[in-house]
């Protein structure tokens, strides 16, 4: 009788693989690379191809902000690659560094936005004070989602989705610098374009 009872439990094992999870590694790796390409195209002319720290940026805080943001994108690609390769142990160790980096990014993001406000930066079509709301809102959204992702780190499906959406929330600045007249220096249209990433995310659920 013990054998008869054990058999049904073995038959239930295939149900562990939930629908939509089979291609998670491929989807999140592809999204990370797409985000990397988006950021590179946006900041290539003024930052990456301009020598990074030798780039003619207006202040030191902008340099630090750009470096931290770039490290986050590279970390995202690295983390998705580690999970795909089955190295979850390294992924978890880097995750602590990633959380600390996210805290630094929020601080530098606020300082960079304030620096831009003082310099009356931003697109000429927007009042500097109105433009200031956009990066501050981005930092609030990013900080909230990363905090929730850190709390949900024991639940991989929730954790990686929160991290992805948090990163998508940062893409407005990159898209607004694409060499396209329709979005260049237009944060409103750039924000609308980030919805494409969100739609791709929803399609991958």
């Amino acid at each position: 009788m013990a054998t008869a009872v054990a058999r049904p439990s073995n038959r239930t094992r295939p149900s562990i693989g939930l629908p939509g999870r089979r291609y998670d590694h491929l989807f999140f790796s592809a999204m990370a690379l797409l985000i990397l390409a988006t950021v590179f195209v946006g900041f290539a002319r003024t930052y990456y191809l301009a020598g990074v720290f030798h780039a003619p940026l207006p202040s030191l805080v902008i340099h630090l902000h750009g470096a931290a943001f770039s490290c986050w994108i590279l970390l995202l690609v690295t983390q998705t690659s580690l999970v795909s390769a089955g190295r979850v142990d390294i992924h978890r160790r880097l995750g602590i560094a990633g959380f600390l980096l996210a805290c630094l990014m929020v601080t530098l993001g606020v300082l960079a936005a304030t620096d831009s406000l003082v310099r009356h930066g931003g697109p000429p079509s927007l009042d500097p004070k109105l433009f200031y709301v956009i990066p501050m809102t981005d930092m609030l959204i990013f900080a909230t989602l990363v905090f929730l992702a850190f709390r949900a780190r024991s639940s991989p499906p929730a954790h990686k989705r929160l991290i992805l959406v948090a990163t998508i929330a940062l893409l407005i600045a990159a898209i607004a610098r694409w060499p396209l007249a329709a979005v260049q220096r237009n944060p409103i249209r750039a924000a609308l374009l980030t919805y494409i990433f969100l739609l791709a995310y929803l399609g991958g659920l």
Side-chain angles (χ1 to χ4, degrees):
M1 290 187 64
T3 304
V5 173
R7 283 176 183 171
S9 64
N10 291 335
R11 291 173 185 171
T12 61
R13 285 179 185 175
S15 65
I16 294 174
L18 298 177
R21 300 279 172 82
R22 184 178 301 174
Y23 302 106
D24 262 12
H25 293 334
L26 178 61
F27 171 74
F28 282 92
S29 295
M31 286 294 288
L33 292 174
L34 182 59
I35 288 172
L36 175 66
T38 298
V39 171
F40 181 80
V41 171
F43 291 100
R45 183 180 61 85
T46 58
Y47 188 58
Y48 298 119
L49 299 183
V52 186
F53 282 105
H54 294 289
L57 300 183
S59 68
L60 176 61
V61 70
I62 303 299
H63 277 285
L64 296 175
H65 170 63
F69 179 91
S70 300
C71 288
W72 176 264
I73 302 301
L74 292 175
L75 181 62
L76 177 69
V77 174
T78 301
Q79 289 288 67
T80 55
S81 300
L82 286 170
V83 172
S84 297
R87 296 309 307 267
V88 180
D89 54 332
I90 302 176
H91 173 91
R92 287 173 177 166
R93 294 192 197 103
L94 281 177
I96 301 300
F99 180 74
L100 296 176
L101 175 61
C103 295
L104 177 62
M105 286 172 63
V106 173
T107 302
L108 290 172
V110 171
L111 292 175
T114 305
D115 178 79
S116 178
L117 176 64
V118 171
R119 292 183 289 100
H120 298 283
S125 58
L126 284 180
D127 179 85
K129 293 181 181 179
L130 180 60
F131 177 72
Y132 183 65
V133 175
I134 297 175
M136 294 298 288
T137 303
D138 290 344
M139 288 300 98
L140 177 61
I141 295 172
F142 176 76
T144 302
L145 291 174
V146 168
F147 173 73
L148 293 175
F150 184 76
R151 289 190 61 185
R153 62 192 183 279
S154 59
S155 173
H159 172 77
K160 60 189 177 184
R161 283 163 173 78
L162 287 166
I163 289 293
L164 181 62
V165 177
T167 306
I168 291 173
L170 298 177
L171 293 182
I172 296 175
I175 296 176
R177 288 169 173 81
W178 277 0
L180 296 174
V183 296
Q184 199 167 51
R185 298 183 68 81
N186 191 316
I188 305 301
R189 292 179 182 175
L192 292 176
L193 269 181
T194 61
Y195 292 161
I196 295 176
F197 288 88
L198 290 175
L199 289 174
Y201 158 74
L202 292 174
L205 287 178

